[in-house]
Amino acid sequence: VVAWLAIVPPFSSRAVPAMAKVVLPLGLCLAIAPSLASSEIPVDTFGLLVTVLTQALIGIAMGFVTSLLFSAIAAAGSLIDVFGGFSLAQGFDPLAMNMSTVFGTFHQLLATMLLFASGGHLLVIGGLLRTFELLPIGTSPDVEVGTQVVVKAFLMFVVTAVQIALPMIAVLFIADLGLALLTKVAPQLNAINVMFPAKIGLTLLLVGLSFPVLPGAMRNLVDLALQAMAAIAGGG
């Protein structure tokens, strides 16, 4: 549980207080403890260390897949930045501790808001606790199945990001093409001075029109995250 929470956004973000990062996994572990009473946990030093390491690796694998899927909306925002010309305004994100673009950060915050507003975080945490029933403590998952799940999660990450951003990318490309043709047809208009304000306004308009699509995308990503964790745990 601790390994999963240390990787999955927004729980891993620096915006979450350190005390909350300590209390949340402790509370989840106490909630799942009664159902683990029948599990056979080795008490010898070597067996206990192997069990703890195995559980940490399982949590890291599930957390990586979940965070990869949840990053799809932010990746769509980064694609919009590239084609909308906003990628030049990169800045350091102190919460994510990396360089981020304007709409990449905006879409990441928007995805976090949608996750909590829709109750998706409760579903994902419930799915994590459910994996203890599918994969009891002391057993190991199938590594080959886990590899397939990671590959499939990366594929869905790319597909989801492209599906969200592709309509806006197409419109921005057509706008670039039209402005380029205008420059060739009427050079005296100096279309380069019009290009940047027009693309900024068009990008903002398209991003606003894309908002109704995001709740459905987040719902699908939560379902995919639940399926991925269940598959890693051996539950199909």
Side-chain angles (χ1 to χ4, degrees):
V1 172
V2 174
W4 187 87
L5 290 172
I7 295 177
V8 176
F11 307 106
S12 61
S13 172
R14 296 183 62 177
V16 179
M19 184 59 68
K21 293 182 179 180
V22 174
V23 173
L24 181 59
L26 181 61
L28 294 177
C29 291
L30 291 176
I32 198 63
S35 63
L36 303 178
S38 59
S39 300
E40 296 183 1
I41 302 176
V43 293
D44 59 289
T45 303
F46 178 77
L48 184 61
L49 289 177
V50 171
T51 301
V52 171
L53 181 60
T54 302
Q55 290 297 309
L57 292 176
I58 293 172
I60 290 173
M62 292 181 179
F64 174 75
V65 171
T66 305
S67 64
L68 183 64
L69 291 170
F70 284 173
S71 299
I73 295 180
S78 298
L79 288 175
I80 297 170
D81 281 319
V82 171
F83 289 89
F86 287 86
S87 59
L88 298 175
Q90 291 192 17
F92 182 75
D93 186 358
L95 298 180
M97 295 298 292
N98 57 16
M99 298 297 293
S100 182
T101 54
V102 177
F103 284 111
T105 303
F106 176 73
H107 278 72
Q108 180 65 52
L109 296 174
L110 192 61
T112 301
M113 184 273 294
L114 290 173
L115 180 67
F116 282 95
S118 63
H121 64 293
L122 299 178
L123 295 176
V124 176
I125 293 176
L128 171 66
L129 301 183
R130 170 71 175 171
T131 59
F132 285 97
E133 301 176 8
L134 302 175
L135 187 67
I137 293 180
T139 58
S140 301
D142 189 350
V143 178
E144 183 177 353
V145 173
T147 304
Q148 295 175 356
V149 171
V150 172
V151 174
K152 185 62 177 296
F154 182 76
L155 176 63
M156 296 308 301
F157 161 78
V158 175
V159 170
T160 303
V162 172
Q163 284 180 340
I164 295 174
L166 187 60
M168 290 172 277
I169 292 174
V171 174
L172 291 172
F173 175 76
I174 294 174
D176 282 337
L177 186 60
L179 290 171
L181 293 175
L182 181 62
T183 304
K184 289 294 184 180
V185 172
Q188 65 276 12
L189 293 179
N190 199 8
I192 191 67
N193 293 330
V194 184
M195 181 181 300
F196 292 107
K199 285 194 66 175
I200 290 174
L202 185 60
T203 303
L204 294 175
L205 176 62
L206 293 173
V207 169
L209 293 176
S210 69
F211 285 166
V213 180
L214 298 181
M218 177 54 67
R219 190 182 309 113
N220 292 334
L221 291 173
V222 170
D223 292 339
L224 290 172
L226 294 174
Q227 294 174 17
M229 289 192 293
I232 293 177

